[in-house]
Amino acid sequence: MSINDKKIMLSGITATGKLTLANYIGAIRNMVKLQDQYENYIFIADLHALTLPIDPQELEQNRRNIFALFRACGIDTNKTTLFFQSDILEHGMMNWLVLTNTTIGELSRMTQFKDKSSKVKTANGMETIPTGLLMYPTLMVGDILLYNADIIPVGIDQKQHVELTRNLAIRLNNKYKTNFKVPEPYIPEVGAKIMSLTEPTKKMSKSDKNEKSSIYLLDDPEKAYKKIMKAVTDSEGKIYLSDEKPGIKNLLTIYSALTDKTLEQTSELFADKNYGELKQAVGEEVKSFLIDIQAKYAEAMKHIDEEAKIGAEKARKVAHKNLEKLMKGMGLNNASK
Ligand code: ATP
Ligand code: MG
């Protein structure tokens, strides 16, 4: 237990692009909800952003945007330690200690690795896949263990990585007599997997090259409304919940999440309506949500440097203490410390 006896919540978002509504609904919304109950660590995963090639200027801009968007969405620095991952050098060291306790088989079986590597694989096969993509999960395991977290709010796509963390916590505890907690993923009931607006069988992703597939939190609200109006659905014309109707289900899910309703309540609400009416209602909700956070975003941008410094100082102490425990267990008990 931590000093104040609260359990620990930890989560991060990769600085690979502009934050989407899916990142908000799948993860940030729960981080905000859990803030009062837990001791919280939230970070901008800028080291994770290096797993695929990224332009340095773009990375710098992404990381600042995400910091300010966390604040605009309701992450409160009085309740949460908010920081940049790369400010805490312990993350890199922890990654090495963790990955030397895994196998290539274990990492190459991860679904995200398979999905993302299949997109970059060319005629040379494995040889062109960036090593960082394979190591993404071990870096994430390290992130979680460094803060000895109990609960990890994430979308469903990250569940497997939290499961790997659970396995690693147990493995390390057995091998090295550490006492890492075995963390639980915290996945929303509504919105664990928001789908692409143009291909509703694929998840919405901030790294998707097609800007029409995603609602970005910094999209012009009118433009976002239009993207919803153009969302791909089906030709049946009837509104009901079904996995055979992924486009409609996605719109019902977005509406439910933004209005705090269950999926059943929303589908009843729209049962007698047509697709145009549903899209209009979802579009309006999205628009007013974006207007609200964008107003707060501008103010948040002004305070990033000072807030990130305070966050890093707090995070570093905790990370260092947990790293040392593992180093000691592994036989790396340095005399020079
Ligand atoms: P990338 O395409 O670079 O992987 P991403 O949109 O998947 O970007 P991540 O930084 O990988 O974003 O994930 C941040 C958080 O958002 C994670 O908790 C993840 O589970 C959640 N998340 C990502 N995509 C979705 C989605 N489509 N629906 C719900 N949650 C999501
Ligand atoms: Mg992702």
Side-chain angles (χ1 to χ4, degrees):
M1 283 277 161
S2 56
I3 320 154
N4 56 13
D5 261 11
K6 275 186 177 171
K7 286 195 171 184
I8 298 173
M9 181 257 270
L10 171 128
S11 202
I13 294 203
T14 319
T16 33
K18 300 178 282 185
L19 283 200
T20 68
L21 188 63
N23 300 135
Y24 174 75
I25 293 177
I28 302 175
R29 198 168 50 118
N30 272 341
M31 299 179 204
V32 175
K33 278 190 193 157
L34 294 173
Q35 254 183 144
D36 288 315
Q37 280 163 265
Y38 289 84
E39 176 183 325
N40 314 296
Y41 297 89
I42 293 179
F43 61 96
I44 292 80
D46 47 11
L47 297 178
H48 276 95
L50 299 171
T51 51
L52 284 170
I54 186 164
D55 171 67
Q57 270 174 338
E58 189 195 335
L59 176 57
E60 180 56 23
Q61 197 183 7
N62 290 345
R63 59 206 289 279
R64 294 182 77 79
N65 288 353
I66 296 175
F67 194 103
L69 275 169
F70 268 131
R71 298 285 284 116
C73 290
I75 297 300
D76 179 347
T77 48
N78 291 315
K79 298 176 188 164
T80 293
T81 302
L82 180 63
F83 60 99
F84 291 109
Q85 184 185 25
S86 61
D87 272 343
I88 315 300
L89 301 181
E90 281 76 359
H91 285 259
M93 178 67 158
M94 193 67 167
N95 180 32
W96 180 251
L97 302 187
V98 170
L99 80 84
T100 52
N101 281 283
T102 59
T103 62
I104 291 181
E106 191 171 34
L107 298 183
S108 54
R109 277 194 298 275
M110 293 285 124
T111 316
Q112 179 179 280
F113 172 73
K114 287 197 255 177
D115 287 350
K116 293 199 174 188
S117 60
S118 68
K119 287 180 194 146
V120 289
K121 215 182 322 189
T122 62
N124 291 332
M126 289 290 282
E127 285 180 29
T128 57
I129 299 171
T131 315
L133 212 49
L134 189 66
M135 306 306 171
Y136 182 109
T138 56
L139 186 58
M140 178 162 162
V141 169
D143 299 337
I144 297 172
L145 299 184
L146 272 182
Y147 302 90
N148 211 9
D150 295 276
I151 193 162
I152 322 294
V154 280
I156 201 115
D157 60 312
Q158 292 298 327
K159 188 170 175 237
Q160 197 183 35
H161 292 159
V162 180
E163 271 158 15
L164 178 72
T165 312
R166 292 170 61 82
N167 293 341
L168 259 301
I170 295 166
R171 192 177 304 168
L172 297 172
N173 287 346
N174 286 339
K175 269 171 104 170
Y176 305 117
K177 309 280 170 275
T178 47
N179 58 350
F180 289 116
K181 286 187 279 194
V182 180
E184 298 275 352
Y186 188 87
I187 295 167
E189 267 174 46
V190 178
K193 191 174 184 185
I194 299 293
M195 310 309 275
S196 151
L197 298 177
T198 53
E199 287 175 82
T201 50
K202 246 179 56 182
K203 92 171 184 83
M204 188 183 284
S205 277
K206 65 175 133 57
S207 60
D208 194 324
K209 295 278 177 288
N210 183 356
E211 298 238 326
K212 292 184 185 134
S213 301
S214 306
I215 300 286
Y216 300 103
L217 298 183
L218 294 177
D219 261 350
D220 167 33
E222 281 303 332
K223 200 170 133 195
Y225 179 88
K226 287 189 188 134
K227 285 189 190 175
I228 296 285
M229 292 307 290
K230 288 194 181 140
V232 170
T233 51
D234 56 70
S235 56
E236 191 190 6
K238 273 203 218 129
I239 298 177
Y240 59 96
L241 262 183
S242 162
D243 289 338
E244 316 270 280
K245 292 165 76 66
I248 291 294
K249 187 174 177 188
N250 198 33
L251 292 173
L252 293 171
T253 304
I254 294 173
Y255 187 89
S256 303
L258 293 182
T259 57
D260 255 326
K261 289 191 170 50
T262 64
L263 264 177
E264 289 69 27
Q265 285 169 332
T266 304
S267 57
E268 261 174 47
L269 199 64
F270 289 99
D272 300 324
K273 305 274 194 297
N274 61 41
Y275 286 7
E277 288 167 316
L278 171 64
K279 285 180 171 179
Q280 260 172 25
V282 179
E284 287 299 340
E285 284 304 328
V286 168
K287 199 163 90 177
S288 57
F289 170 71
L290 296 186
I291 291 172
D292 178 48
I293 47 170
Q294 289 175 13
K296 296 173 188 152
Y297 171 79
E299 181 58 28
M301 280 299 264
K302 296 182 197 156
H303 308 287
I304 297 178
D305 293 330
E306 73 218 52
E307 290 184 348
K309 191 161 177 255
I310 296 170
E313 275 162 17
K314 285 198 218 157
R316 192 172 295 122
K317 285 199 189 106
V318 180
H320 195 77
K321 194 184 74 191
N322 286 313
L323 175 71
E324 276 195 338
K325 278 200 277 187
L326 180 58
M327 286 181 68
K328 198 170 165 204
M330 290 178 80
L332 299 166
N333 199 8
N334 294 350
S336 59
K337 276 197 303 253

